Amino acid sequence: MTMKRLVLVLMMALAIAGAALAAPERALPDGSHAVSVSVPDMECSMCIRSVQVELKHLSGIVEIKIDDVNRVVNVRFDPTATDVRHIQAAIRKAGFASKLVEPAKS
């Protein structure tokens, strides 16, 4: 494989991966953004509370809704103050791994 072809393949792979990672974040009509994050090990009320506390420490968090049955945290936030990376870091700080997921259809 030539160097040009290798660079092209790598650039395409990065573009596809970036699009896949960004897909779950969505812009809302009021200018805020929303993201749904799966937290599979969030099993009890203390786990939920830990996640909520860490997220509330982030500036720009507008709303936190937790689906304890499906273990999904839905966060609405101001994209000028925080981002998905910081939201996942806060969940990690609470002691949990997380994964971005597509929001549930209402």
Side-chain angles (χ1 to χ4, degrees):
M1 185 177 283
T2 67
M3 183 61 91
K4 281 185 181 180
R5 184 171 286 177
L6 178 62
V7 170
L8 181 60
V9 168
L10 288 173
M11 287 174 50
M12 288 174 53
L14 288 172
I16 291 168
L21 290 175
E25 181 179 343
R26 58 215 175 274
L28 301 175
D30 66 358
S32 66
H33 283 201
V35 68
S36 296
V37 185
S38 172
V39 185
D41 294 331
M42 187 176 60
E43 297 177 349
C44 67
S45 61
M46 287 306 297
C47 299
I48 292 170
R49 180 75 180 131
S50 297
V51 169
Q52 286 175 324
V53 165
E54 290 303 329
L55 287 171
K56 286 180 180 180
H57 280 93
L58 289 178
S59 59
I61 298 297
V62 176
E63 181 178 44
I64 303 164
K65 289 185 178 178
I66 297 183
D67 175 351
D68 58 335
V69 173
N70 295 308
R71 299 178 186 165
V72 173
V73 179
N74 298 292
V75 182
R76 191 163 58 96
F77 61 97
D78 176 352
T80 65
T82 195
D83 58 22
V84 172
R85 188 172 41 97
H86 288 101
I87 290 167
Q88 286 192 286
I91 293 170
R92 228 178 357 266
K93 188 174 178 185
F96 301 96
S98 66
K99 178 183 173 188
L100 299 178
V101 295
E102 290 294 326
K105 303 291 183 218
S106 304

